[in-house]
Amino acid sequence: MDYIVSAPGKAILHGEHAVVHGKAALAVSLNLRTYLRLKASTTGKVYLNLPNIDAFLCWDLAELKQLTPYTCGKKKEVKHLDAELVRRLREFVGVTNENLDTCNMATLAFLYIYLSLFGSEELPSLTVSVWSELPTGAGLGSSAAYSVCLAAALLCASGAIPTPLWDPTAGWCQEDLELINSWAFQGEMIIHGNPSGVDNAVGTWGGMLRFLAGKIIPLGRVPLLRILLTNTKIPRSTKVLVAGVKDRINKFPSIITPVLDSVDAISCTCEKVLSEMTCEPITGEHYNILEELIDINQHHLNVMGVGHPALDTLCRVTLTRGLHSKLTGAGGGGCGITLLRPGNDETLAQERSFGVQVLLCHRLSSPIS
Ligand SMILES: Nc1ncnc2c1ncn2[C@@H]1O[C@H](COP(=O)(O)OP(=O)(O)O)[C@@H](O)[C@H]1O
Ligand SMILES: C[C@@](O)(CCOP(=O)(O)O)CC(=O)O
Ligand SMILES: [Mg+2]
């Protein structure tokens, strides 16, 4: 029996990092997706094929059965990580205290969801293969798309939700999507450490949404914005960057807390302008405001300590052409977004995402210079 699922990546327009601390963020799904195929087998083994990170793993069911959590087989929404299971899994993969690397994060996210959803007596032999159009570790929510695919496929295989492929009328109801989202959030907790949930929400529901303290508000009325996505190709870890912002908040609470409040106001102001742009003639003033918000947010992200010289170069180079850019996602490298005005010269491949047309910058052959 085969299950094939996919989930989109995302771009955060405003609110990254602040959203971890209860402020509003605006995020939009991308037409770049992660694909997962789960194939049930009778081999008595579990295979995890992750070609994007050059990881190909295999375990005997017998060794996995010893790891199953006591309260396994739960199919309902979950809020908190099972710390004991995480500890056992870290010991199993051989990383007790230090930070997880790319392969370990992906492995633990898979094993955690797999072992939690199947009781020890019913652990199935299976082969899971994941392939993505998203660059990993670049701020486009690759970890969330990976976690959403894992959650959806394993919930289908465990019978907790229907398998739409066979019965398109079955589809996934809101309750199914909430279950997928909550298990994807578990995967994000393993990879991000302290995720807000915005990335897995966009990966689950798609479109464009406002995310505030766990509350998801889909934004149905948004104008067609054209966004240029540029990958600086500077590698970085979201978990490390998120922890760094927390440290800075703890070190300078009276300085950084107002910055977070300002980012919250930027997200709300941007949403208000986007709404105005759907019900009145779009003017240059609308774009002037959107561009100013992008500049202010980028400066705030530098104050939070998540900027990078390559991102500064992107902002400087695009500004020489009258365009305004900011980092998207965790920053520290990775991707930036640039707002294009109608009529900007389009010499790039076009991707259309919900309400926001994302123009993909040709991959930079080397970090931006
Ligand atoms: N296609 C994939 N295959 C395997 N693991 C993936 C894939 N995409 C993402 N991951 C996991 O997510 C991690 C990247 O997460 P993160 O640091 O949050 O960056 P991003 O900005 O891409 O979400 C990778 O190191 C890897 O563990
Ligand atoms: C920095 C943050 O706001 C977004 C991280 O996005 P990404 O993993 O870099 O794609 C963290 C979060 O919201 O969980
Ligand atoms: Mg991530």
Side-chain angles (χ1 to χ4, degrees):
M1 187 183 316
D2 280 18
Y3 303 88
I4 298 175
V5 296
S6 77
K10 59 85 195 149
I12 294 179
L13 298 186
H14 290 294
E16 50 270 283
H17 287 291
V19 67
V20 174
H21 303 283
K23 307 304 177 187
L26 300 180
V28 61
S29 61
L30 298 177
N31 232 2
L32 294 172
R33 301 181 74 86
T34 293
Y35 300 84
L36 180 148
R37 179 185 175 194
L38 184 155
K39 190 173 178 55
S41 67
T42 55
T43 60
K45 291 182 183 297
V46 172
Y47 293 90
L48 182 60
N49 301 323
L50 306 174
N52 296 122
I53 61 168
D54 203 21
F56 302 88
L57 303 117
C58 174
W59 303 279
D60 287 325
L61 280 185
E63 59 182 323
L64 295 180
K65 283 187 178 174
Q66 297 164 32
L67 298 165
T68 44
Y70 308 120
T71 54
C72 51
K74 49 182 181 278
K75 309 281 196 288
K76 59 190 186 302
E77 275 194 58
V78 283
K79 293 276 184 230
H80 306 290
L81 270 184
D82 177 337
E84 172 52 23
L85 177 55
V86 173
R87 186 198 62 73
R88 277 213 302 282
L89 289 176
R90 289 179 73 106
E91 200 174 296
F92 179 65
V93 301
V95 279
T96 41
N97 296 320
E98 63 275 24
N99 264 342
L100 300 173
D101 66 18
T102 291
C103 180
N104 289 329
M105 286 193 289
T107 303
L108 256 67
F110 165 73
L111 287 176
Y112 182 93
I113 300 172
Y114 167 70
L115 293 167
S116 299
L117 289 180
F118 292 95
S120 57
E121 294 318 308
E122 56 183 42
L123 281 187
S125 309
L126 44 84
T127 299
V128 170
S129 303
V130 179
W131 184 80
S132 184
E133 297 165 323
L134 294 159
T136 55
L140 300 186
S142 75
S143 62
Y146 173 70
S147 300
V148 169
C149 285
L150 285 177
L154 290 167
L155 283 164
C156 280
S158 71
I161 60 175
T163 303
L165 266 184
W166 305 330
D167 175 5
T169 58
W172 283 327
C173 65
Q174 188 63 3
E175 193 181 339
D176 297 332
L177 293 171
E178 282 162 8
L179 196 56
I180 292 169
N181 185 53
S182 79
W183 279 100
F185 186 60
Q186 300 281 300
E188 282 281 83
M189 280 197 273
I190 287 170
I191 297 173
H192 276 202
N194 179 32
S196 65
V198 64
D199 289 4
N200 45 281
V202 177
T204 303
W205 279 280
M208 184 171 179
L209 57 81
R210 175 187 350 118
F211 187 95
L212 173 58
K215 199 166 169 47
I216 301 160
I217 312 287
L219 298 182
R221 292 169 57 81
V222 286
L224 180 61
L225 288 187
R226 294 160 59 246
I227 303 280
L228 176 71
L229 207 49
T230 302
N231 187 352
T232 66
K233 304 200 79 169
I234 304 289
R236 86 291 181 271
S237 157
T238 296
K239 184 172 188 174
V240 170
L241 288 155
V242 168
V245 171
K246 178 71 180 159
D247 291 345
R248 187 161 284 197
I249 293 169
N250 291 338
K251 190 174 179 182
F252 304 112
S254 58
I255 297 171
I256 304 300
T257 302
V259 170
L260 301 178
D261 291 337
S262 177
V263 172
D264 186 71
I266 289 171
S267 295
C268 297
T269 306
C270 179
E271 185 182 346
K272 181 170 170 291
V273 172
L274 294 179
S275 175
E276 285 169 6
M277 291 169 77
T278 59
C279 47
E280 59 190 60
I282 294 178
T283 67
E285 182 51 24
H286 287 123
Y287 275 91
N288 292 342
I289 296 170
L290 292 178
E291 289 166 347
E292 275 191 271
L293 295 177
I294 286 172
D295 293 346
I296 297 167
N297 195 163
Q298 177 61 17
H299 289 302
H300 282 335
L301 288 160
N302 282 321
V303 168
M304 287 183 227
V306 296
H308 187 280
L311 291 163
D312 295 341
T313 301
L314 171 67
C315 294
R316 189 181 69 251
V317 166
T318 51
L319 199 54
T320 59
R321 289 158 177 78
L323 302 174
H324 298 253
S325 308
K326 66 177 278 287
L327 67 90
T328 189
C335 287
I337 57 173
T338 303
L339 177 63
L340 299 181
R341 287 194 178 219
N344 277 114
D345 175 33
E346 286 179 26
T347 57
L348 303 163
Q350 288 194 30
E351 284 287 337
R352 181 180 179 77
S353 163
F354 178 89
V356 175
Q357 193 181 43
V358 181
L359 309 173
L360 299 179
C361 177
H362 290 299
R363 286 295 199 82
L364 296 167
S365 54
S366 61
I368 193 164
S369 56

